[in-house]
Amino acid sequence: MNLLILILAPLITALAVLMMRNNNLVRWTALLGSSVQLILSLVLYNVFNQARLNGQTSQFLFEQDIPLFKSWHIHLHLGVDGISVAMILLTAFVVIAGVLMSWKVEKMTKEFFFLLLLLSLGAYGFFISLDLFILFFFLEVAVIPKYLLIGIWGSGKKEASANKLALMLMAGSALVLLGLLGLYMSGGKTFDLLKLSQIHLPLITQQICFPLLFVGFGIFTALFPFHTWVPDGHSSAPTAGSMFLAGISMKLGGYGCLRVATYLMPEGAHEYANIVIILSTIAIFYGAFATMMQTDLKYINAYSSVSHCGFVLLGIGMLTKVAIVGAVMQMVSHGLMTALFFAVIGMIYERTHTRQVNEMGGLLKVMPFTISILFIVGFCSLGLPGLSGFVAEMTIFMGSWEHPDMFHRIATILACMSIVVTAVYILRAIGKTAMGPLKQEYSDLKDATWNEKSAAIILMVGILAIGLAPFWLNELVSPGAEIIMQKISASTISTK
């Protein structure tokens, strides 16, 4: 399969949308383009599996290498493994759901959809890039639309939130760029990920570049204490913007921490692993307790995302195969879950014009579909068996428990205990929203429309596919995690 199609599909759709004048045509074109992206991602998953079954054992499949700047050794080098395919599937599901949830956007409609599609272009390019310079380029392509989406179509203190998000993510990008340049100079002046993975980088390089890259990418995925952009950014963004921010953009950071920092610098990963685990555990508890203090539904989901993304970084920091598989599964699960949560919040806000749970009550009576989805996504967040959250978090806990020492065991137990806090704030928020007497002003509210129901069902399919039958995702991700673990294990032996 030609991976360039994954970049060209959103690019062509975005340009087509920009040239149109009829808003209705803009919407249907964006939906058609996002549908093509979803189909292409499913085709990629199928042909990838077929290739593996046919005996193709290369680390990355469907490689393409096009020289761009020969003097700097920069190539458009593309390829995918199971981890990449999982992230591409997540992106496709969130993109089409985000387009459907934006159906009623009237302000600068074509510009809005253009930016959404541009963000998806950056995500696809990031996940399939094997040249670190091109990977960084696509990371930046995925940053710029966020600022505009919040600053123009957001609500509340949207300008301040957009500025805060842009400054924090640009700071993260600066750290990433410094780390990549360090790898480039120490690795024989190449940005090629495969070539760098075959080179034993000097220990001093890893000690300097690993924290630069891990913190830089970590800012994107709410690494404590650099998470402060998340609540304000999510709360001020439009519904689709929040879905993209939490569902896709925060996963760019987790993927970069794993694919670039941990894979290319395993000795650095070992040296800083305990710090990563401590910061992740703090994020899990801080996010959970901060969520308990919130009464705004968007802030509840935003602080909850800080906690859930802590599980991703905890799985990476544990440096075991099972924990890394769990981290990837958590990225996919949280991406689907939090995008659906923000979609439901958007449905409720559009009808009630409030996000304060104390001002709601009894909405299950008038919005049965919407509130039923709220129940399901809430149960997914607190780790109910049968839904994706349970599978992902349990996999991380099992991988973390493989370490026999007291430090790792305590971190694992603390992470497990956070589920109790999660249950408290989820059940309380859902109860105040759905149960109790219905206020008079809400008696005539309408339930979800066709586009909102379609978006919710698409995301629910992904959540249930992982929760009820997780083996397909585990088998997809495990070979890539095994290769990363082989390099980590080899570095452990060499250091001894």
Side-chain angles (χ1 to χ4, degrees):
M1 181 174 177
N2 192 325
L3 295 177
L4 280 173
I5 299 174
L6 288 172
I7 299 175
L8 291 175
L11 178 61
I12 292 170
T13 308
L15 293 176
V17 160
L18 205 57
M19 291 186 290
M20 293 175 179
R21 295 184 178 180
N22 184 289
N23 285 348
N24 203 39
L25 191 58
V26 165
R27 296 183 184 98
W28 284 105
T29 303
L31 180 58
L32 176 62
S34 59
S35 300
V36 170
Q37 294 175 39
L38 179 59
I39 292 169
L40 287 173
S41 69
L42 294 172
V43 170
L44 174 63
Y45 169 69
N46 184 57
V47 296
F48 181 86
N49 275 344
Q50 288 297 321
R52 288 299 192 208
L53 291 173
N54 292 335
Q56 293 192 32
T57 57
S58 301
Q59 182 180 356
F60 293 94
L61 300 184
F62 316 123
E63 281 191 63
Q64 295 168 259
D65 194 347
I66 304 170
L68 295 180
F69 302 99
K70 290 185 179 180
S71 59
W72 294 349
H73 305 286
I74 297 173
H75 293 223
L76 183 62
H77 188 187
L78 309 178
V80 293
D81 67 350
I83 297 173
S84 307
V85 173
M87 304 313 295
I88 289 166
L89 284 169
L90 166 65
T91 303
F93 272 78
V94 175
V95 167
I96 190 170
V99 169
L100 286 165
M101 285 301 301
S102 307
W103 207 254
K104 293 183 180 180
V105 171
E106 297 292 343
K107 178 183 178 181
M108 301 173 66
T109 306
K110 68 178 180 181
E111 290 83 0
F112 181 87
F113 283 103
F114 171 77
L115 291 172
L116 284 186
L117 292 163
L118 189 63
L119 200 157
S120 69
L121 164 67
Y124 286 123
F126 183 85
F127 291 132
I128 65 176
S129 293
L130 297 181
D131 184 286
L132 297 182
F133 186 88
I134 301 301
L135 179 143
F136 179 78
F137 168 77
F138 282 115
L139 179 68
E140 295 308 291
V141 170
V143 168
I144 298 168
K146 304 171 195 173
Y147 173 79
L148 296 173
L149 285 169
I150 296 172
I152 299 174
W153 291 274
S155 59
K157 299 178 180 178
K158 58 183 182 180
E159 290 86 2
S161 297
N163 288 332
K164 187 174 185 179
L165 176 141
L167 289 172
M168 290 291 289
L169 296 189
M170 286 299 179
S173 297
L175 293 176
V176 169
L177 181 58
L178 285 174
L180 294 182
L181 290 174
L183 293 182
Y184 176 80
M185 299 305 294
S186 299
K189 294 191 176 181
T190 179
F191 285 109
D192 191 280
L193 186 139
L194 291 180
K195 291 179 181 177
L196 287 169
S197 69
Q198 296 165 4
I199 299 171
H200 182 269
L201 296 168
L203 180 60
I204 186 65
T205 299
Q206 299 194 37
Q207 289 173 332
I208 295 172
C209 292
F210 180 86
L212 288 173
L213 286 166
F214 200 95
V215 172
F217 283 120
I219 291 174
F220 283 79
T221 196
L223 173 67
F224 183 88
F226 308 104
H227 63 283
T228 53
W229 65 271
V230 175
D232 293 332
H234 286 352
S235 63
S236 298
T239 297
S242 297
M243 293 169 67
F244 275 50
L245 269 174
I248 300 174
S249 298
M250 292 179 74
K251 308 307 169 284
L252 303 178
Y255 182 88
C257 287
L258 179 61
R259 175 74 77 203
V260 182
T262 304
Y263 178 51
L264 296 182
M265 294 175 286
E267 292 173 26
H270 271 291
E271 191 151 328
Y272 292 98
N274 288 352
I275 297 175
V276 172
I277 291 170
I278 291 170
L279 292 178
S280 302
T281 306
I282 293 172
I284 291 169
F285 262 91
Y286 168 81
F289 279 107
T291 307
M292 287 186 66
M293 307 301 293
Q294 308 305 315
T295 57
D296 183 307
L297 282 174
K298 269 202 169 184
Y299 272 99
I300 288 172
N301 197 22
Y303 277 105
S304 175
S305 292
V306 174
S307 180
H308 283 101
C309 286
F311 285 108
V312 174
L313 297 175
L314 179 69
I316 296 172
M318 286 295 177
L319 301 180
T320 68
K321 179 187 172 182
V322 176
I324 289 174
V325 170
V328 178
M329 294 178 77
Q330 175 71 353
M331 282 194 277
V332 178
S333 169
H334 179 259
L336 294 168
M337 174 190 71
T338 196
L340 182 55
F341 212 144
F342 276 122
V344 173
I345 294 169
M347 297 179 206
I348 294 172
Y349 179 74
E350 186 176 327
R351 290 156 176 81
T352 63
H353 305 293
T354 182
R355 298 195 303 253
Q356 295 295 323
V357 293
N358 296 328
E359 298 174 6
M360 302 180 196
L363 294 184
L364 184 60
K365 297 181 178 70
V366 289
M367 301 170 63
F369 178 86
T370 303
I371 302 304
S372 296
I373 296 296
L374 179 63
F375 272 104
I376 294 172
V377 74
F379 292 151
C380 180
S381 180
L382 61 82
L384 185 73
L387 300 172
S388 60
F390 172 79
V391 174
E393 291 177 8
M394 280 302 299
T395 306
I396 293 172
F397 296 152
M398 291 171 63
S400 302
W401 198 255
E402 291 179 9
H403 291 285
D405 60 282
M406 187 64 68
F407 173 78
H408 290 87
R409 291 287 172 91
I410 291 174
T412 307
I413 291 169
L414 289 173
C416 290
M417 290 171 61
S418 72
I419 296 175
V420 178
V421 185
T422 304
V424 172
Y425 66 72
I426 287 293
L427 294 176
R428 185 172 62 184
I430 293 176
K432 289 184 177 180
T433 304
M435 304 302 183
L438 178 66
K439 292 188 177 182
Q440 183 64 33
E441 61 265 33
Y442 298 151
S443 58
D444 296 326
L445 295 182
K446 303 295 182 183
D447 206 354
T449 57
W450 70 269
N451 55 296
E452 293 169 334
K453 288 181 179 179
S454 300
I457 289 170
I458 287 169
L459 295 172
M460 273 301 305
V461 167
I463 289 172
L464 292 173
I466 299 171
L468 297 176
F471 302 107
W472 67 271
L473 183 57
N474 181 71
E475 292 170 0
L476 178 66
V477 171
S478 288
E482 177 64 34
I483 291 172
I484 293 172
M485 275 310 304
Q486 286 174 1
K487 183 152 191 187
I488 292 172
S489 300
S491 73
T492 306
I493 294 171
S494 66
T495 53
K496 289 181 180 179

